[in-house]
Amino acid sequence: MSTPETSRFVRLHVELVLEISDPEQLTAAALTRIASDDSMPDEERDHARSAVREDEAEALAYLVEPSELVSEVPGVELAQASWSSQQIDYDPEAVEWDLDEEDGEHEEGGADAVGSGDLGRPGVV
């Protein structure tokens, strides 16, 4: 008898809804991060500064590092990561925001949660 091979890769899907309580502080932090990024070309830096001044979701995308979520988890190595940020209309009472309902994606036990990912760079959707 042979044992079916299982993938060693798992896609961890996380969705967060954040309230921007201090837009000026958020923008200032993103501008600081951009200024300190030595690997960013000047042309890209100018575009990034402009984008974060105009859009809080862009500012947030420059500050959030999903890789930090798993960097200290024993026994795992991050293969790829992507993230995006967008402004949304949020109503915590609306059915579509009920986090207990996953559109039938995951059955009890999480069997459907195993898979491989094809993820890229951060940005705003």
Side-chain angles (χ1 to χ4, degrees):
M1 284 187 131
S2 66
T3 306
E5 281 191 42
T6 58
S7 176
R8 293 178 18 169
F9 295 90
V10 174
R11 178 177 292 181
L12 176 64
H13 181 93
V14 177
E15 183 170 334
L16 304 170
V17 175
L18 305 171
E19 180 178 358
I20 307 300
S21 59
D22 189 337
E24 292 80 18
Q25 187 177 20
L26 174 66
T27 300
L31 291 170
T32 299
R33 170 74 58 92
I34 291 166
S36 67
D37 186 349
D38 295 331
S39 67
M40 187 181 293
D42 288 339
E43 184 176 301
E44 185 179 334
R45 188 183 318 275
D46 291 340
H47 173 74
R49 285 180 182 136
S50 175
V52 301
R53 285 184 180 117
E54 293 176 17
D55 186 351
E56 294 156 358
E58 280 280 356
L60 187 60
Y62 277 96
L63 294 169
V64 172
E65 295 286 342
S67 58
E68 292 176 6
L69 291 172
V70 297
S71 65
E72 295 186 28
V73 175
V76 300
E77 182 177 326
L78 182 64
Q80 293 180 312
S82 74
W83 60 102
S84 64
S85 180
Q86 66 187 47
Q87 291 185 350
I88 59 167
D89 292 325
Y90 176 65
D91 177 4
E93 302 300 319
V95 173
E96 62 266 17
W97 293 104
D98 185 357
L99 297 179
D100 292 332
E101 298 296 322
E102 286 289 327
D103 299 327
E105 285 181 359
H106 306 290
E107 295 179 14
E108 191 173 324
D112 289 328
V114 175
S116 63
D118 181 18
L119 308 171
R121 282 280 297 151
V124 174
V125 174

